[in-house]
Amino acid sequence: MDIAACGVCHTDLTYREGGITDEFPFLLGHEAAGTVESVGEGVSTVQPGDFVILNWRAVCGQCRACRRGRPQYCFDTHNATQKMTLEDGTELTPALGIGAFADKTLVHEGQCTIVDEADPAVVGLLGCGVMAGLGAAVNTGGVGRGDSVAVIGCGGVGDAAIMGARLTGATKIIAVDLEADKLAAATALGATHTVDASREDAVEAIRQATGGFGADVVIDAVGRPETWKQAFYARDLAGTVVLVGVPTPAMTLEMPLVDFFSRGGALKSSWYGDCLPDRDFPMLVDLYRQGRLPLERFVTERVGLGDVEESFERLHRGSVLRSVVEL
């Protein structure tokens, strides 16, 4: 596949630091869009010339989740069987089975989702972060018309959750962060209320904004014990908590068990926004092309392949939503 553009995602940074696997060397990059150049024997779902967004969940159709009609939880997703190598034959480990910080990459056909052609730097972001946040609201959280929603953490994933809540008709969308510029960006994407958690108690502020009850859905886009607790206590009775921020293995949580029983509701984790790429990507690209989903606002800067290290630093500082490498 010819790569046209690829976003610089925090997962790539985690790979670089050895936080996911130690199978070096890595070929990083996975939020990508481009054009199919050629296909192997037996490939039937794509053909050369197709414009596609890459995804890291190529469902198998055979595992117990797929057989139960829940392919968004597929437990045996596919990657390309042929390995990419360096010139000396050293095998590369592609990030999330994609590896798109390169002119070309090799993936399983199920990792390619055909969509109407659009700016690859924009729509390629559906391949990971934007889909994770938007899907956390729409698919996992089940946000509907008239709901109140709070989003804790307004980076790329949190802002995508805000966009998703707006798309589905939530009437009260509360953005929570520690930085004023991130709260301003969240407002531009659809937040109706903001909470500066560096100055006020986030749980109390969310309750005040919802008539003293708490939000119907609270999305933790940070993934730390303290933010999850805020999400838990900031929801209404029988409300829903969605964890989409990724915690580290060392993080633990201690809470009174009776609180889980007495508050009811649902506690969910969102994997890849519980998306089905073949269902969700084309629909979201259509909404973008119609001007109803401003995905372009997630592209903070367009850079070259040689600028990735600097983009990692800006990502780590939280000064960008997304840097996108154009090839």
Side-chain angles (χ1 to χ4, degrees):
M1 175 177 163
D2 287 321
I3 301 297
C6 183
V8 181
C9 178
H10 199 278
T11 302
D12 295 306
L13 179 58
T14 305
Y15 263 103
R16 189 193 70 166
E17 300 302 315
I20 295 177
T21 175
D22 59 0
E23 296 174 357
F24 295 94
F26 298 131
L27 177 54
L28 301 180
H30 60 279
E31 290 183 339
T35 305
V36 175
E37 180 190 72
S38 61
V39 300
E41 183 179 352
V43 171
S44 60
T45 58
V46 293
Q47 60 185 358
D50 285 341
F51 180 76
V52 300
I53 299 172
L54 296 184
N55 73 80
W56 47 268
R57 173 167 281 169
V59 300
C60 72
Q62 300 297 323
C63 71
R64 60 193 185 281
C66 288
R67 291 199 305 269
R68 291 173 180 169
R70 302 170 185 169
Q72 69 271 26
Y73 300 130
C74 179
F75 301 131
D76 192 22
T77 55
H78 294 309
N79 292 323
T81 54
Q82 182 178 332
K83 301 296 184 182
M84 290 181 283
T85 66
L86 298 174
E87 290 183 350
D88 64 3
T90 301
E91 288 188 358
L92 295 170
T93 300
L96 295 179
I98 292 177
F101 285 160
D103 294 327
K104 301 180 189 297
T105 193
L106 179 66
V107 295
H108 188 278
E109 63 178 310
Q111 293 179 273
C112 299
T113 304
I114 301 172
V115 298
D116 289 337
E117 194 157 351
D119 185 346
V122 174
V123 299
L125 299 183
L126 290 171
C128 189
V130 170
M131 187 69 251
L134 194 151
V138 176
N139 297 330
T140 314
V143 175
R145 288 176 294 176
D147 280 348
S148 59
V149 180
V151 178
I152 300 175
C154 297
V157 173
D159 280 353
I162 288 169
M163 181 182 287
R166 180 183 182 184
L167 184 67
T168 57
T171 53
K172 196 165 288 185
I173 305 172
I174 306 157
V176 182
D177 204 279
L178 299 169
E179 300 180 23
D181 58 340
K182 289 187 177 181
L183 293 173
T187 300
L189 288 168
T192 60
H193 297 67
T194 60
V195 176
D196 184 342
S198 69
R199 299 187 177 190
E200 56 184 322
D201 181 89
V203 174
E204 183 59 31
I206 292 169
R207 287 179 176 169
Q208 288 181 2
T210 54
F213 299 116
D216 297 310
V217 180
V218 186
I219 299 168
D220 177 6
V222 179
R224 296 186 58 84
E226 54 268 36
T227 53
W228 194 92
K229 284 184 179 181
Q230 288 176 331
F232 181 88
Y233 289 110
R235 67 189 174 119
D236 198 356
L237 289 174
T240 298
V241 174
V242 177
L243 174 63
V244 64
V246 182
T248 65
M251 292 178 179
T252 60
L253 186 69
E254 184 174 342
M255 292 175 59
L257 185 60
V258 69
D259 287 358
F260 291 87
F261 175 79
S262 61
R263 298 186 68 84
L267 310 175
K268 299 183 175 183
S269 296
S270 185
W271 301 340
Y272 204 2
D274 288 337
C275 78
L276 290 175
D278 285 348
R279 175 194 67 190
D280 295 338
F281 290 5
M283 173 189 66
L284 295 172
V285 170
D286 284 347
L287 291 173
Y288 163 65
R289 285 162 55 92
Q290 294 167 17
R292 298 166 60 192
L293 191 68
L295 296 173
E296 71 281 355
R297 295 185 183 178
F298 287 90
V299 181
T300 307
E301 61 179 3
R302 298 171 187 247
V303 301
L305 192 56
D307 303 314
V308 169
E309 286 298 321
E310 289 80 5
S311 295
F312 276 143
E313 291 303 316
R314 288 188 284 274
L315 180 68
H316 183 68
R317 293 197 304 269
S319 59
V320 295
L321 285 180
R322 273 297 184 271
S323 304
V324 180
V325 175
E326 293 187 308
L327 291 132

